[in-house]
Amino acid sequence: MRTQVGIIGAGPSGLLLSQLLHLQGIDSVVLERRTPGYVLGRIRAGVLEQGMVDLLNAAQAGERMNKEGLVHDGFEICFGDRRHRIDLKELTGGDTVMVYGQTEVTKDLMDAREALGGLVIYEAENVDIVDLDGETPKLTYRKDGVDHEIVCDYIAGCDGYHGISRRHIPENILKIHERVYPFGWLGVLSETRPASDELIYVNHWRGFALCSMRSTTRSRYYIQCAFDEDLEEWTDDRFWDELRARLPNSVAENMEIGPSIEKSIAPLRSFVAEPMRHGRLFLAGDAAHIVPPTGAKGLNLAASDIHYLSSALIGYYKQQRTDLMDGYSEKCLNRVWKAERFSWWMTTIMHRFPDQNSFDRGIQLAELDYLCGSQSAQASFAENYVGLPY
Ligand code: FAD
Ligand code: PHB
């Protein structure tokens, strides 16, 4: 088989890229090692920046999001006994975010690919890249016991943090920057009315907590936990008790609780791999960078990478331009590092660190107090939260 762009991974990055290319008449094949059901079963991000909303609309995959997504003008930050609202719309001069789950984004992209007859091959085993140094790199894989090869012009590594693409950048070229946090997030999805109309981020001495949602009838909650926590030990009752202990009384007293429909633990990590291009291979999304979820930036960064990558490939195929491909890594990394900084900062001010002493706690509270008392600090916070321009 031959294609113009071979894409590894059918997460949001890979599907979005393939869809945007298709709409410009550029041919691609997506290889995914899991089944569609498995991909959709992963409960991840929930907050979309306007830039990502615009990109999904441009990809003709935004119809359901525009109907069912919830536009949020602000959110709350709680610490000590204080509740403070960050008014995103007011602080940014009109910008908002969209609450719409990654599962739904992925489903919409899968449907959009199918509607256009896009080729997405699921359960592709042993995916590998060969001849990356030549003119026509190839993707090899095994499906139903048969080996296959796809000859490509370019390869997009959209295969997430655990994928194989990154490994194809030689060790003497690839630089890794990393911070692993000494805690994780325990997340629960439940068919319950959200605790509040807006998201609530809580810094509590027992640990961080977050009240989020997927719709007006489905809630998503997180609590900070040990990084090596045993999920089996977290019964629903224990989770709800611990969550409520960290929330302001006014929220905890009235919130609806119910059985969990999903429960999982995510480690927290900051990670950047550079460069994001090596010859005919381009990395995008989690394959190149990870942020801790506190700033809701992971999925949104994947979208901005795809914006730059699709523009670069379209520039090449439509106008024989190579400058956008040459500038790809630098353009992405410029935005990535700013989102890394924001996510690291928000993680640092909102969590309880195991080695935190009274000085560290004092600094944390001073930072939160300053934020809530300063319009300019809040404006900077809001500007980053709604997403820096592409
Ligand atoms: P992925 O979604 O990881 O997609 C990569 C795809 O490649 C997967 O389908 C995978 O199966 C496939 N793949 C991997 N290896 C191979 C291979 N060898 N061959 C073929 N296919 C392969 N972000 C937020 O903004 N907010 C959050 O709350 C949030 N929570 C998260 C919770 C968890 C547990 C995780 C892991 C991430 C979370 N993120 C969150 C981050 C966000 O989900 C990611 O940034 C986003 O999924 C990135 O999309 P992607 O397409 O680049 O990678
Ligand atoms: C989510 O709803 O999953 C979510 C929302 C905001 C975050 C992280 C996760 O900062």
Side-chain angles (χ1 to χ4, degrees), residues 8-15 31-34 38-39 42-47 102 124-128 158-165 167 185 210 214 220 222 264-267 284-287 289-302:
I8 313 178
S13 303
L15 292 173
L31 294 181
E32 165 60 51
R33 72 172 165 176
R34 305 289 191 182
Y38 185 97
V39 172
R42 295 185 295 220
I43 308 298
R44 293 182 173 179
V47 176
Q102 180 168 334
E125 296 164 42
N126 304 338
V127 174
D128 204 2
C158 300
D159 50 352
Y161 179 67
H162 298 287
I164 53 108
S165 305
R167 280 185 240 142
W185 278 17
L210 169 60
R214 290 293 175 267
R220 179 69 166 161
Y222 297 97
S264 53
I265 293 176
D286 279 16
H289 40 73
I290 299 285
V291 285
T294 327
K297 289 280 160 265
L299 178 59
N300 291 299
L301 272 186

Short mmCIF file of all heavy atoms in Angstrom, two decimals, residues 8-15 31-34 38-39 42-47 102 124-128 158-165 167 185 210 214 220 222 264-267 284-287 289-302, ligand 1:
data_model
loop_
_atom_site.label_atom_id
_atom_site.label_comp_id
_atom_site.label_asym_id
_atom_site.label_seq_id
_atom_site.Cartn_x
_atom_site.Cartn_y
_atom_site.Cartn_z
N ILE A 8 0.63 7.17 12.96
CA ILE A 8 0.60 6.13 13.99
C ILE A 8 -0.22 6.67 15.17
O ILE A 8 0.13 7.70 15.75
CB ILE A 8 2.01 5.75 14.48
CG1 ILE A 8 2.94 5.51 13.30
CG2 ILE A 8 1.94 4.51 15.38
CD1 ILE A 8 4.37 5.17 13.71
N GLY A 9 -1.30 5.96 15.54
CA GLY A 9 -2.12 6.33 16.68
C GLY A 9 -3.44 6.97 16.27
O GLY A 9 -3.47 7.93 15.50
N ALA A 10 -4.54 6.39 16.77
CA ALA A 10 -5.88 6.94 16.48
C ALA A 10 -6.49 7.58 17.72
O ALA A 10 -7.67 7.42 18.02
CB ALA A 10 -6.79 5.86 15.91
N GLY A 11 -5.65 8.30 18.47
CA GLY A 11 -6.16 9.16 19.55
C GLY A 11 -6.62 10.46 18.89
O GLY A 11 -6.69 10.55 17.65
N PRO A 12 -6.91 11.48 19.70
CA PRO A 12 -7.36 12.74 19.12
C PRO A 12 -6.36 13.32 18.11
O PRO A 12 -6.77 13.81 17.04
CB PRO A 12 -7.50 13.67 20.32
CG PRO A 12 -7.52 12.79 21.52
CD PRO A 12 -6.91 11.49 21.16
N SER A 13 -5.06 13.25 18.37
CA SER A 13 -4.07 13.84 17.45
C SER A 13 -4.13 13.18 16.08
O SER A 13 -4.23 13.86 15.06
CB SER A 13 -2.63 13.66 17.97
OG SER A 13 -2.46 14.21 19.21
N GLY A 14 -4.04 11.86 16.05
CA GLY A 14 -3.97 11.13 14.78
C GLY A 14 -5.24 11.28 13.97
O GLY A 14 -5.19 11.52 12.75
N LEU A 15 -6.39 11.18 14.62
CA LEU A 15 -7.66 11.27 13.90
C LEU A 15 -7.89 12.68 13.35
O LEU A 15 -8.33 12.86 12.22
CB LEU A 15 -8.83 10.88 14.82
CG LEU A 15 -8.88 9.40 15.23
CD1 LEU A 15 -9.97 9.19 16.28
CD2 LEU A 15 -9.14 8.50 14.02
N LEU A 31 -2.77 3.99 11.73
CA LEU A 31 -2.59 2.66 12.33
C LEU A 31 -2.77 2.77 13.85
O LEU A 31 -2.09 3.59 14.49
CB LEU A 31 -1.18 2.13 12.05
CG LEU A 31 -0.83 1.80 10.61
CD1 LEU A 31 0.60 1.27 10.52
CD2 LEU A 31 -1.82 0.79 10.03
N GLU A 32 -3.65 1.98 14.42
CA GLU A 32 -3.92 2.04 15.86
C GLU A 32 -3.82 0.62 16.43
O GLU A 32 -4.40 -0.31 15.88
CB GLU A 32 -5.33 2.62 16.09
CG GLU A 32 -5.91 2.43 17.47
CD GLU A 32 -5.10 3.07 18.60
OE1 GLU A 32 -4.76 4.27 18.50
OE2 GLU A 32 -4.79 2.36 19.60
N ARG A 33 -3.11 0.49 17.53
CA ARG A 33 -2.91 -0.88 18.04
C ARG A 33 -4.11 -1.42 18.82
O ARG A 33 -4.26 -2.61 18.98
CB ARG A 33 -1.63 -0.94 18.87
CG ARG A 33 -1.72 -0.28 20.18
CD ARG A 33 -0.48 -0.56 21.01
NE ARG A 33 -0.45 0.37 22.12
CZ ARG A 33 0.44 0.35 23.07
NH1 ARG A 33 1.39 -0.54 23.06
NH2 ARG A 33 0.39 1.22 24.04
N ARG A 34 -4.97 -0.52 19.33
CA ARG A 34 -6.12 -0.96 20.14
C ARG A 34 -7.38 -1.08 19.29
O ARG A 34 -7.41 -0.69 18.14
CB ARG A 34 -6.39 0.05 21.26
CG ARG A 34 -5.21 0.36 22.13
CD ARG A 34 -4.89 -0.81 23.02
NE ARG A 34 -3.94 -0.45 24.05
CZ ARG A 34 -3.46 -1.30 24.95
NH1 ARG A 34 -3.85 -2.56 24.95
NH2 ARG A 34 -2.60 -0.89 25.84
N TYR A 38 -11.73 0.21 23.03
CA TYR A 38 -10.70 0.47 24.03
C TYR A 38 -10.31 1.95 24.03
O TYR A 38 -10.19 2.59 25.07
CB TYR A 38 -9.46 -0.40 23.75
CG TYR A 38 -8.39 -0.28 24.80
CD1 TYR A 38 -8.29 -1.21 25.84
CD2 TYR A 38 -7.48 0.78 24.78
CE1 TYR A 38 -7.31 -1.08 26.81
CE2 TYR A 38 -6.50 0.92 25.75
CZ TYR A 38 -6.42 -0.02 26.76
OH TYR A 38 -5.45 0.11 27.73
N VAL A 39 -10.14 2.49 22.81
CA VAL A 39 -9.75 3.90 22.68
C VAL A 39 -10.82 4.79 23.33
O VAL A 39 -10.50 5.75 24.06
CB VAL A 39 -9.54 4.28 21.19
CG1 VAL A 39 -9.32 5.78 21.02
CG2 VAL A 39 -8.35 3.51 20.61
N ARG A 42 -11.10 5.11 27.42
CA ARG A 42 -10.14 5.86 28.24
C ARG A 42 -10.74 7.22 28.58
O ARG A 42 -10.96 8.04 27.70
CB ARG A 42 -8.83 6.06 27.46
CG ARG A 42 -8.12 4.75 27.16
CD ARG A 42 -6.78 4.99 26.51
NE ARG A 42 -6.91 5.59 25.20
CZ ARG A 42 -6.16 5.26 24.14
NH1 ARG A 42 -5.21 4.36 24.26
NH2 ARG A 42 -6.34 5.86 22.99
N ILE A 43 -11.04 7.41 29.87
CA ILE A 43 -11.63 8.69 30.29
C ILE A 43 -10.49 9.66 30.60
O ILE A 43 -9.71 9.43 31.52
CB ILE A 43 -12.52 8.52 31.54
CG1 ILE A 43 -13.54 7.41 31.35
CG2 ILE A 43 -13.20 9.85 31.91
CD1 ILE A 43 -14.52 7.63 30.23
N ARG A 44 -10.40 10.72 29.82
CA ARG A 44 -9.28 11.66 30.02
C ARG A 44 -9.80 13.09 30.11
O ARG A 44 -10.62 13.39 30.94
CB ARG A 44 -8.26 11.47 28.91
CG ARG A 44 -7.57 10.09 29.01
CD ARG A 44 -6.54 9.95 27.95
NE ARG A 44 -5.73 8.74 28.08
CZ ARG A 44 -4.78 8.42 27.22
NH1 ARG A 44 -4.51 9.20 26.20
NH2 ARG A 44 -4.08 7.32 27.39
N ALA A 45 -9.32 13.95 29.21
CA ALA A 45 -9.55 15.38 29.36
C ALA A 45 -11.02 15.80 29.24
O ALA A 45 -11.84 15.07 28.70
CB ALA A 45 -8.74 16.12 28.31
N GLY A 46 -11.32 17.00 29.74
CA GLY A 46 -12.70 17.49 29.68
C GLY A 46 -12.87 18.95 29.29
O GLY A 46 -13.99 19.38 29.09
N VAL A 47 -11.77 19.70 29.18
CA VAL A 47 -11.90 21.14 28.92
C VAL A 47 -11.20 21.51 27.61
O VAL A 47 -10.01 21.25 27.45
CB VAL A 47 -11.27 21.96 30.09
CG1 VAL A 47 -11.32 23.45 29.79
CG2 VAL A 47 -11.97 21.66 31.41
N GLN A 102 -13.07 14.23 26.20
CA GLN A 102 -12.18 13.68 25.17
C GLN A 102 -12.80 12.46 24.49
O GLN A 102 -12.60 12.23 23.30
CB GLN A 102 -10.83 13.30 25.81
CG GLN A 102 -9.85 12.71 24.82
CD GLN A 102 -8.44 12.61 25.38
OE1 GLN A 102 -8.05 13.36 26.28
NE2 GLN A 102 -7.66 11.69 24.87
N ALA A 124 -3.75 -2.95 14.86
CA ALA A 124 -2.51 -3.13 14.08
C ALA A 124 -1.39 -3.44 15.08
O ALA A 124 -1.10 -2.62 15.95
CB ALA A 124 -2.20 -1.86 13.30
N GLU A 125 -0.82 -4.64 14.98
CA GLU A 125 0.22 -5.04 15.94
C GLU A 125 1.61 -4.73 15.40
O GLU A 125 1.81 -4.66 14.20
CB GLU A 125 0.14 -6.56 16.18
CG GLU A 125 -1.15 -7.03 16.83
CD GLU A 125 -1.30 -8.54 16.67
OE1 GLU A 125 -0.31 -9.27 16.83
OE2 GLU A 125 -2.42 -8.96 16.33
N ASN A 126 2.55 -4.64 16.33
CA ASN A 126 3.99 -4.45 16.00
C ASN A 126 4.24 -3.33 14.99
O ASN A 126 5.05 -3.50 14.07
CB ASN A 126 4.59 -5.74 15.39
CG ASN A 126 4.40 -6.92 16.31
OD1 ASN A 126 4.22 -6.75 17.52
ND2 ASN A 126 4.43 -8.11 15.76
N VAL A 127 3.54 -2.23 15.14
CA VAL A 127 3.76 -1.11 14.21
C VAL A 127 5.21 -0.63 14.34
O VAL A 127 5.73 -0.48 15.45
CB VAL A 127 2.78 0.05 14.52
CG1 VAL A 127 3.10 1.27 13.65
CG2 VAL A 127 1.34 -0.39 14.32
N ASP A 128 5.85 -0.43 13.20
CA ASP A 128 7.24 0.04 13.23
C ASP A 128 7.51 0.96 12.03
O ASP A 128 6.76 0.94 11.05
CB ASP A 128 8.21 -1.14 13.22
CG ASP A 128 9.56 -0.76 13.83
OD1 ASP A 128 9.72 0.40 14.31
OD2 ASP A 128 10.46 -1.61 13.85
N CYS A 158 1.73 10.03 16.25
CA CYS A 158 0.66 10.54 17.12
C CYS A 158 0.31 9.43 18.11
O CYS A 158 -0.86 9.24 18.45
CB CYS A 158 -0.57 10.90 16.30
SG CYS A 158 -0.25 12.18 15.06
N ASP A 159 1.31 8.68 18.55
CA ASP A 159 1.07 7.45 19.31
C ASP A 159 1.26 7.59 20.81
O ASP A 159 1.49 6.60 21.50
CB ASP A 159 1.90 6.29 18.74
CG ASP A 159 3.37 6.64 18.54
OD1 ASP A 159 3.72 7.82 18.69
OD2 ASP A 159 4.16 5.73 18.22
N GLY A 160 1.12 8.80 21.31
CA GLY A 160 1.07 9.00 22.76
C GLY A 160 2.42 8.76 23.44
O GLY A 160 3.43 8.46 22.81
N TYR A 161 2.39 8.90 24.76
CA TYR A 161 3.63 8.84 25.55
C TYR A 161 4.33 7.48 25.44
O TYR A 161 5.56 7.39 25.43
CB TYR A 161 3.28 9.15 27.01
CG TYR A 161 4.46 9.11 27.94
CD1 TYR A 161 5.48 10.05 27.81
CD2 TYR A 161 4.55 8.14 28.93
CE1 TYR A 161 6.57 10.02 28.66
CE2 TYR A 161 5.63 8.11 29.78
CZ TYR A 161 6.64 9.04 29.64
OH TYR A 161 7.72 9.01 30.47
N HIS A 162 3.52 6.39 25.36
CA HIS A 162 4.12 5.04 25.34
C HIS A 162 4.33 4.51 23.92
O HIS A 162 4.64 3.33 23.74
CB HIS A 162 3.23 4.06 26.12
CG HIS A 162 3.10 4.44 27.57
ND1 HIS A 162 4.12 4.29 28.47
CD2 HIS A 162 2.07 5.00 28.25
CE1 HIS A 162 3.73 4.74 29.64
NE2 HIS A 162 2.49 5.18 29.54
N GLY A 163 4.18 5.38 22.93
CA GLY A 163 4.30 4.92 21.53
C GLY A 163 5.73 4.62 21.12
O GLY A 163 6.68 4.78 21.89
N ILE A 164 5.88 4.24 19.84
CA ILE A 164 7.20 3.83 19.34
C ILE A 164 7.90 4.94 18.53
O ILE A 164 9.09 4.85 18.26
CB ILE A 164 7.10 2.56 18.46
CG1 ILE A 164 6.06 2.76 17.33
CG2 ILE A 164 6.72 1.34 19.27
CD1 ILE A 164 6.65 2.92 15.98
N SER A 165 7.15 5.96 18.13
CA SER A 165 7.70 6.96 17.20
C SER A 165 8.92 7.69 17.75
O SER A 165 9.92 7.85 17.06
CB SER A 165 6.65 8.02 16.88
OG SER A 165 5.51 7.43 16.40
N ARG A 167 11.14 6.94 19.71
CA ARG A 167 12.38 6.15 19.73
C ARG A 167 13.13 6.19 18.41
O ARG A 167 14.30 5.83 18.36
CB ARG A 167 12.05 4.68 20.03
CG ARG A 167 11.82 4.40 21.47
CD ARG A 167 11.64 2.92 21.66
NE ARG A 167 10.33 2.67 22.21
CZ ARG A 167 9.55 1.65 21.90
NH1 ARG A 167 9.93 0.75 21.01
NH2 ARG A 167 8.39 1.50 22.48
N TRP A 185 -3.50 11.44 40.52
CA TRP A 185 -4.91 11.83 40.63
C TRP A 185 -5.76 10.58 40.54
O TRP A 185 -5.60 9.78 39.60
CB TRP A 185 -5.33 12.74 39.48
CG TRP A 185 -4.98 14.19 39.62
CD1 TRP A 185 -4.08 14.77 40.47
CD2 TRP A 185 -5.55 15.26 38.84
NE1 TRP A 185 -4.04 16.13 40.25
CE2 TRP A 185 -4.93 16.45 39.27
CE3 TRP A 185 -6.50 15.33 37.83
CZ2 TRP A 185 -5.24 17.70 38.71
CZ3 TRP A 185 -6.81 16.57 37.26
CH2 TRP A 185 -6.19 17.74 37.72
N LEU A 210 -10.70 18.27 42.63
CA LEU A 210 -11.28 18.98 41.48
C LEU A 210 -12.68 18.44 41.20
O LEU A 210 -12.88 17.23 41.12
CB LEU A 210 -10.40 18.79 40.24
CG LEU A 210 -10.96 19.23 38.88
CD1 LEU A 210 -11.27 20.72 38.85
CD2 LEU A 210 -9.95 18.90 37.76
N ARG A 214 -18.99 16.24 32.76
CA ARG A 214 -19.04 15.91 31.34
C ARG A 214 -20.35 16.41 30.71
O ARG A 214 -20.45 16.57 29.51
CB ARG A 214 -18.93 14.38 31.13
CG ARG A 214 -17.55 13.83 31.44
CD ARG A 214 -16.52 14.34 30.44
NE ARG A 214 -15.16 13.91 30.78
CZ ARG A 214 -14.33 14.64 31.51
NH1 ARG A 214 -14.68 15.82 31.97
NH2 ARG A 214 -13.12 14.20 31.78
N ARG A 220 -17.39 14.50 36.85
CA ARG A 220 -16.04 13.94 36.88
C ARG A 220 -15.33 14.59 38.06
O ARG A 220 -15.24 15.83 38.13
CB ARG A 220 -15.31 14.26 35.58
CG ARG A 220 -13.88 13.74 35.51
CD ARG A 220 -13.82 12.24 35.43
NE ARG A 220 -12.51 11.74 35.04
CZ ARG A 220 -12.12 10.48 35.25
NH1 ARG A 220 -12.92 9.60 35.84
NH2 ARG A 220 -10.93 10.08 34.85
N TYR A 222 -11.86 14.47 40.83
CA TYR A 222 -10.50 13.98 41.05
C TYR A 222 -10.07 14.33 42.46
O TYR A 222 -10.41 15.41 42.98
CB TYR A 222 -9.51 14.65 40.10
CG TYR A 222 -9.72 14.38 38.64
CD1 TYR A 222 -10.43 15.28 37.84
CD2 TYR A 222 -9.21 13.23 38.03
CE1 TYR A 222 -10.60 15.06 36.48
CE2 TYR A 222 -9.39 13.00 36.66
CZ TYR A 222 -10.08 13.91 35.89
OH TYR A 222 -10.26 13.69 34.55
N SER A 264 -10.12 5.57 37.99
CA SER A 264 -8.75 5.27 37.56
C SER A 264 -7.76 6.23 38.21
O SER A 264 -8.15 7.28 38.72
CB SER A 264 -8.64 5.40 36.03
OG SER A 264 -9.12 6.67 35.62
N ILE A 265 -6.49 5.82 38.19
CA ILE A 265 -5.44 6.66 38.77
C ILE A 265 -4.49 7.09 37.65
O ILE A 265 -4.07 6.27 36.83
CB ILE A 265 -4.66 5.89 39.85
CG1 ILE A 265 -5.57 5.62 41.05
CG2 ILE A 265 -3.41 6.67 40.31
CD1 ILE A 265 -4.97 4.79 42.15
N ALA A 266 -4.18 8.37 37.60
CA ALA A 266 -3.22 8.88 36.61
C ALA A 266 -2.01 9.46 37.34
O ALA A 266 -2.18 10.25 38.27
CB ALA A 266 -3.88 9.95 35.76
N PRO A 267 -0.80 9.05 36.93
CA PRO A 267 0.39 9.68 37.52
C PRO A 267 0.53 11.10 36.97
O PRO A 267 -0.04 11.41 35.92
CB PRO A 267 1.53 8.79 37.02
CG PRO A 267 1.02 8.17 35.77
CD PRO A 267 -0.49 8.10 35.87
N ALA A 284 3.67 14.46 17.38
CA ALA A 284 2.61 15.40 17.78
C ALA A 284 1.90 14.88 19.02
O ALA A 284 1.77 13.67 19.22
CB ALA A 284 1.61 15.57 16.64
N GLY A 285 1.42 15.78 19.86
CA GLY A 285 0.64 15.41 21.05
C GLY A 285 1.50 14.73 22.11
O GLY A 285 2.70 15.03 22.26
N ASP A 286 0.88 13.79 22.83
CA ASP A 286 1.55 13.14 23.96
C ASP A 286 2.82 12.38 23.55
O ASP A 286 3.63 12.04 24.40
CB ASP A 286 0.59 12.16 24.66
CG ASP A 286 -0.35 12.88 25.62
OD1 ASP A 286 -0.48 14.11 25.53
OD2 ASP A 286 -0.97 12.19 26.47
N ALA A 287 2.99 12.08 22.28
CA ALA A 287 4.23 11.42 21.84
C ALA A 287 5.43 12.32 22.10
O ALA A 287 6.55 11.85 22.29
CB ALA A 287 4.14 11.09 20.35
N HIS A 289 5.12 15.37 24.30
CA HIS A 289 5.09 16.12 25.57
C HIS A 289 3.91 15.70 26.44
O HIS A 289 2.86 15.30 25.95
CB HIS A 289 5.01 17.63 25.30
CG HIS A 289 4.11 17.99 24.16
ND1 HIS A 289 2.74 17.92 24.25
CD2 HIS A 289 4.37 18.37 22.89
CE1 HIS A 289 2.20 18.26 23.10
NE2 HIS A 289 3.17 18.53 22.25
N ILE A 290 4.13 15.81 27.74
CA ILE A 290 3.10 15.50 28.73
C ILE A 290 3.06 16.67 29.70
O ILE A 290 4.10 17.22 30.05
CB ILE A 290 3.47 14.22 29.53
CG1 ILE A 290 3.59 13.00 28.61
CG2 ILE A 290 2.51 13.97 30.68
CD1 ILE A 290 2.27 12.44 28.14
N VAL A 291 1.85 17.05 30.11
CA VAL A 291 1.72 18.04 31.19
C VAL A 291 0.90 17.41 32.30
O VAL A 291 0.04 16.56 32.02
CB VAL A 291 1.00 19.34 30.71
CG1 VAL A 291 1.91 20.19 29.86
CG2 VAL A 291 -0.29 19.02 29.97
N PRO A 292 1.10 17.80 33.55
CA PRO A 292 0.17 17.34 34.59
C PRO A 292 -1.20 17.95 34.27
O PRO A 292 -1.26 19.06 33.72
CB PRO A 292 0.76 17.90 35.89
CG PRO A 292 1.67 19.02 35.47
CD PRO A 292 2.13 18.70 34.08
N PRO A 293 -2.31 17.25 34.56
CA PRO A 293 -3.62 17.69 34.07
C PRO A 293 -4.18 18.94 34.75
O PRO A 293 -5.22 19.45 34.31
CB PRO A 293 -4.52 16.48 34.35
CG PRO A 293 -3.83 15.70 35.40
CD PRO A 293 -2.37 15.95 35.24
N THR A 294 -3.51 19.47 35.76
CA THR A 294 -4.06 20.57 36.55
C THR A 294 -4.51 21.77 35.70
O THR A 294 -5.53 22.38 35.99
CB THR A 294 -3.02 21.05 37.59
OG1 THR A 294 -2.26 19.92 38.01
CG2 THR A 294 -3.69 21.69 38.79
N GLY A 295 -3.76 22.11 34.66
CA GLY A 295 -4.14 23.28 33.85
C GLY A 295 -5.03 22.92 32.67
O GLY A 295 -5.33 23.79 31.85
N ALA A 296 -5.43 21.65 32.56
CA ALA A 296 -6.29 21.17 31.45
C ALA A 296 -5.67 21.46 30.09
O ALA A 296 -6.33 21.95 29.18
CB ALA A 296 -7.70 21.77 31.56
N LYS A 297 -4.41 21.19 29.94
CA LYS A 297 -3.69 21.60 28.72
C LYS A 297 -3.30 20.45 27.78
O LYS A 297 -2.95 20.69 26.62
CB LYS A 297 -2.41 22.36 29.10
CG LYS A 297 -2.68 23.73 29.67
CD LYS A 297 -2.97 24.74 28.57
CE LYS A 297 -3.69 25.95 29.06
NZ LYS A 297 -5.14 25.92 28.92
N GLY A 298 -3.30 19.18 28.26
CA GLY A 298 -2.74 18.07 27.47
C GLY A 298 -3.39 17.92 26.10
O GLY A 298 -2.73 17.97 25.05
N LEU A 299 -4.69 17.78 26.09
CA LEU A 299 -5.44 17.59 24.85
C LEU A 299 -5.35 18.84 23.97
O LEU A 299 -5.24 18.76 22.75
CB LEU A 299 -6.89 17.27 25.20
CG LEU A 299 -7.86 17.08 24.06
CD1 LEU A 299 -7.42 15.95 23.15
CD2 LEU A 299 -9.26 16.78 24.61
N ASN A 300 -5.39 19.99 24.61
CA ASN A 300 -5.34 21.25 23.87
C ASN A 300 -3.99 21.45 23.17
O ASN A 300 -3.93 22.01 22.08
CB ASN A 300 -5.66 22.41 24.80
CG ASN A 300 -7.11 22.38 25.25
OD1 ASN A 300 -8.00 22.46 24.41
ND2 ASN A 300 -7.36 22.22 26.53
N LEU A 301 -2.93 20.98 23.80
CA LEU A 301 -1.60 21.06 23.17
C LEU A 301 -1.53 20.12 21.98
O LEU A 301 -0.91 20.44 20.95
CB LEU A 301 -0.51 20.65 24.16
CG LEU A 301 0.10 21.70 25.06
CD1 LEU A 301 1.25 21.09 25.84
CD2 LEU A 301 0.58 22.91 24.26
N ALA A 302 -2.15 18.96 22.12
CA ALA A 302 -2.18 18.02 20.99
C ALA A 302 -2.86 18.71 19.80
O ALA A 302 -2.40 18.61 18.67
CB ALA A 302 -2.93 16.74 21.39
P1 FAD B 1 -3.29 9.49 22.98
O1 FAD B 1 -4.63 9.99 23.30
O2 FAD B 1 -2.44 8.87 23.98
O3 FAD B 1 -3.38 8.64 21.66
C1 FAD B 1 -2.31 7.86 21.18
C2 FAD B 1 -2.87 6.65 20.45
O4 FAD B 1 -1.79 5.92 19.91
C3 FAD B 1 -3.62 5.72 21.39
O5 FAD B 1 -4.87 5.42 20.86
C4 FAD B 1 -2.70 4.50 21.48
O6 FAD B 1 -3.43 3.30 21.67
C5 FAD B 1 -2.01 4.55 20.14
N1 FAD B 1 -0.71 3.86 20.12
C6 FAD B 1 0.25 3.87 21.08
N2 FAD B 1 1.29 3.12 20.71
C7 FAD B 1 0.99 2.63 19.50
C8 FAD B 1 1.68 1.77 18.61
N3 FAD B 1 2.89 1.28 18.92
N4 FAD B 1 1.10 1.43 17.45
C9 FAD B 1 -0.14 1.92 17.12
N5 FAD B 1 -0.84 2.75 17.93
C10 FAD B 1 -0.28 3.09 19.11
N6 FAD B 1 -5.48 16.18 29.43
C11 FAD B 1 -6.24 17.20 29.81
O7 FAD B 1 -6.18 18.26 29.16
N7 FAD B 1 -7.06 17.06 30.92
C12 FAD B 1 -7.15 15.89 31.62
O8 FAD B 1 -7.90 15.77 32.56
C13 FAD B 1 -6.37 14.79 31.24
N8 FAD B 1 -6.41 13.61 31.90
C14 FAD B 1 -5.63 12.57 31.47
C15 FAD B 1 -5.65 11.36 32.13
C16 FAD B 1 -4.83 10.28 31.71
C17 FAD B 1 -4.86 8.95 32.44
C18 FAD B 1 -3.96 10.46 30.61
C19 FAD B 1 -3.04 9.32 30.15
C20 FAD B 1 -3.94 11.67 29.95
C21 FAD B 1 -4.77 12.74 30.38
N9 FAD B 1 -4.77 13.97 29.72
C22 FAD B 1 -5.53 15.00 30.11
C23 FAD B 1 -3.97 14.20 28.58
C24 FAD B 1 -4.76 14.01 27.29
O9 FAD B 1 -5.66 12.95 27.43
C25 FAD B 1 -3.74 13.76 26.22
O10 FAD B 1 -2.93 14.91 26.12
C26 FAD B 1 -4.34 13.40 24.87
O11 FAD B 1 -4.94 12.13 24.91
C27 FAD B 1 -3.26 13.41 23.80
O12 FAD B 1 -3.76 12.89 22.62
P2 FAD B 1 -2.83 12.07 21.64
O13 FAD B 1 -3.70 11.70 20.50
O14 FAD B 1 -1.60 12.84 21.39
O15 FAD B 1 -2.37 10.79 22.44
#
